[in-house]
Amino acid sequence: MKVRAAVLREMGLAAPYEQSKPLTIETVELAPPGAGELLVRVLAAGLCHSDLSVIDGSRPRPMPMVLGHEATGEIVELGADVAGFAVGDRVVFSFVPMCGHCEPCAAGRPALCEPGAQANASGRLLGGGMRWHDGGQQQLQHHLGVSGFAEYTVTSAHSAVRIDDDLPPEIAALFGCAVMTGVGAVINTARVAPGESVAIFGLGGVGLAALLGARAASAYPLIAVDPVPEKLALARELCADVVVDPTREDVVATIREHTRGGAMHVIESVGNEKVLAQAYAATRRGGTTVTVGLPAPQQMLSIPAVSLTAEERTIKGSYMGSAVPSRDIPRYVALYRNGRLPVDRLLSHRLTLDEINTGFDRLQRGEAIRQVVLFD
């Protein structure tokens, strides 16, 4: 079938993207789903810094590629041997397909699925197939098994989680990355207990989702750190007890003052080694620093090695919120429905597909929280 999609053919084009247009809106060919796959009509797709890091070249991927990994849609066709789904089901995509059989999957850590990681790195679906072609029959890569910036997409059934069909698409899409990653970092990775202090560095979609997750976990005090005044104001409105502008005050000293020596849990969502070092310095003895951001591969972290032993400190990575998507997405949706996780406050802009380069300009300048492309 012919599908309109946002195609990235070259990484590293300079901003402003409205002028350089790294994403071109093309009519491309999408082959039918193979065995174990789904054809999904995309209803909404979010713009994420992980997409931006592919556009600017700091997170290299095979080119050309149909971009987008945070999305929701409706199943319109099932491939052979698909169980547990039906035509008409609404789904949220998981950007790591989960084989269910490798050692991490068997250990309950599907975010580290080994075949899923290999498929994502190669621009293929979990089963090894590729379903995209341009008009000249050049193959186009899949982005993290999703390729959500398209009217329709083919995905592995292991990349989809069924949801209720009454959830607004622009809200449902957020659960595929921002919410799953941010809330999961608090609940699954940090395992925040009631009354424990939490500091969040970086208030994009993931960081603000972590803030909401920490409040749902009854953290106290809850400290939000970002240089953008509008984001600090939103954090204060949502639930932050303390907000800190790192360009105006000593962020480590401020956090230590409000937590009597450092936060028990510090979550870094910026993807910068200097910010991660600050987050570690703001963590108390016996505490945990969780990093969610994705720095460029060449960035290196330097910390006092003795502190790991003498202060029983922990640094943990959190990919996809250490989530089990089929378990966690329905849980987080339930928290949203009962008012404990107001993720609708993360939605800052609604876009058409043709406005996507402008949206990434806005994201690159730090002027948006979560922007969503709507296809209906």
Side-chain angles (χ1 to χ4, degrees):
M1 63 188 301
K2 293 185 182 298
V3 176
R4 290 184 80 236
V7 180
L8 180 67
R9 294 187 174 274
E10 180 182 356
M11 294 180 291
L13 293 181
Y17 300 127
E18 176 57 31
Q19 296 178 12
S20 60
K21 296 196 182 318
L23 290 169
T24 56
I25 309 306
E26 305 178 22
T27 298
V28 297
E29 297 285 342
L30 180 62
E37 296 173 358
L38 310 170
L39 173 63
V40 179
R41 179 170 66 95
V42 179
L43 300 175
L47 277 61
C48 177
H49 268 281
S50 294
D51 304 313
L52 183 59
S53 66
V54 178
I55 292 171
D56 68 20
S58 60
R59 191 80 174 159
R61 293 287 177 183
M63 295 288 112
M65 171 177 283
V66 179
L67 208 63
H69 71 283
E70 178 187 83
T72 186
E74 179 181 339
I75 297 174
V76 296
E77 185 180 341
L78 306 176
D81 303 321
V82 171
F85 293 98
V87 171
D89 283 349
R90 292 283 182 91
V91 295
V92 167
F93 295 92
S94 164
F95 60 87
V96 177
M98 302 149 287
C99 75
H101 305 294
C102 68
E103 185 173 341
C105 282
R109 304 181 71 184
L112 301 180
C113 176
E114 292 167 349
Q118 293 168 1
N120 283 355
S122 66
R124 296 174 178 271
L125 297 178
L126 182 63
M130 298 177 70
R131 305 291 174 241
W132 294 108
H133 292 82
D134 68 10
Q137 295 304 302
Q138 180 183 15
Q139 283 193 318
L140 305 175
Q141 316 294 318
H142 294 260
H143 186 211
L144 302 181
V146 178
S147 292
F149 296 150
E151 295 171 319
Y152 290 80
T153 191
V154 169
T155 189
S156 168
H158 295 288
S159 295
V161 176
R162 192 170 59 240
I163 61 168
D164 295 336
D165 60 9
D166 63 340
L167 197 63
E170 61 268 38
I171 304 303
L174 305 180
F175 288 88
C177 180
V179 176
M180 182 163 56
T181 300
V183 178
V186 171
I187 293 175
N188 298 323
T189 312
R191 298 185 181 274
V192 174
E196 291 184 329
S197 54
V198 173
I200 312 286
F201 281 66
L203 301 177
V206 171
L208 283 169
L211 191 78
L212 294 176
R215 179 56 75 214
S218 299
Y220 182 83
L222 185 47
I223 302 171
V225 181
D226 200 281
V228 179
E230 292 79 8
K231 292 182 178 180
L232 292 177
L234 178 58
R236 177 77 81 178
E237 287 179 27
L238 289 175
C239 56
D241 300 299
V242 179
V243 298
V244 184
D245 181 345
T247 67
R248 294 179 175 271
E249 53 189 308
D250 185 328
V251 62
V252 174
T254 301
I255 291 173
R256 286 177 175 172
E257 177 185 351
H258 284 280
T259 57
R260 299 180 180 179
M264 180 58 72
H265 305 279
V266 181
I267 296 175
E268 181 275 328
S269 68
V270 179
N272 178 281
E273 84 282 10
K274 294 179 181 177
V275 177
L276 179 55
Q278 272 193 325
Y280 184 78
T283 307
R284 74 180 306 109
R285 292 163 54 89
T288 301
T289 310
V290 174
T291 177
V292 178
L294 289 169
Q298 71 273 15
Q299 292 184 1
M300 305 296 289
L301 174 67
S302 178
I303 60 171
V306 68
S307 64
L308 292 169
T309 301
E311 299 179 6
E312 291 194 354
R313 303 275 290 281
T314 302
I315 298 180
K316 301 182 74 172
S318 181
Y319 190 56
M320 203 173 73
S322 305
V324 179
S326 60
R327 175 198 69 192
D328 292 340
I329 289 176
R331 287 180 178 179
Y332 301 160
V333 169
L335 287 172
Y336 164 70
R337 287 187 183 280
N338 69 21
R340 294 186 60 196
L341 204 64
V343 300
D344 54 300
R345 297 294 305 278
L346 306 182
L347 180 62
S348 57
H349 298 80
R350 294 171 173 83
L351 311 174
T352 66
L353 187 61
D354 293 307
E355 296 172 319
I356 197 165
N357 286 303
T358 300
F360 278 110
D361 276 328
R362 196 179 288 119
L363 182 62
Q364 191 264 344
R365 293 193 300 263
E367 297 172 356
I369 305 300
R370 226 24 169 214
Q371 304 170 90
V372 172
V373 173
L374 290 170
F375 291 90
D376 268 352

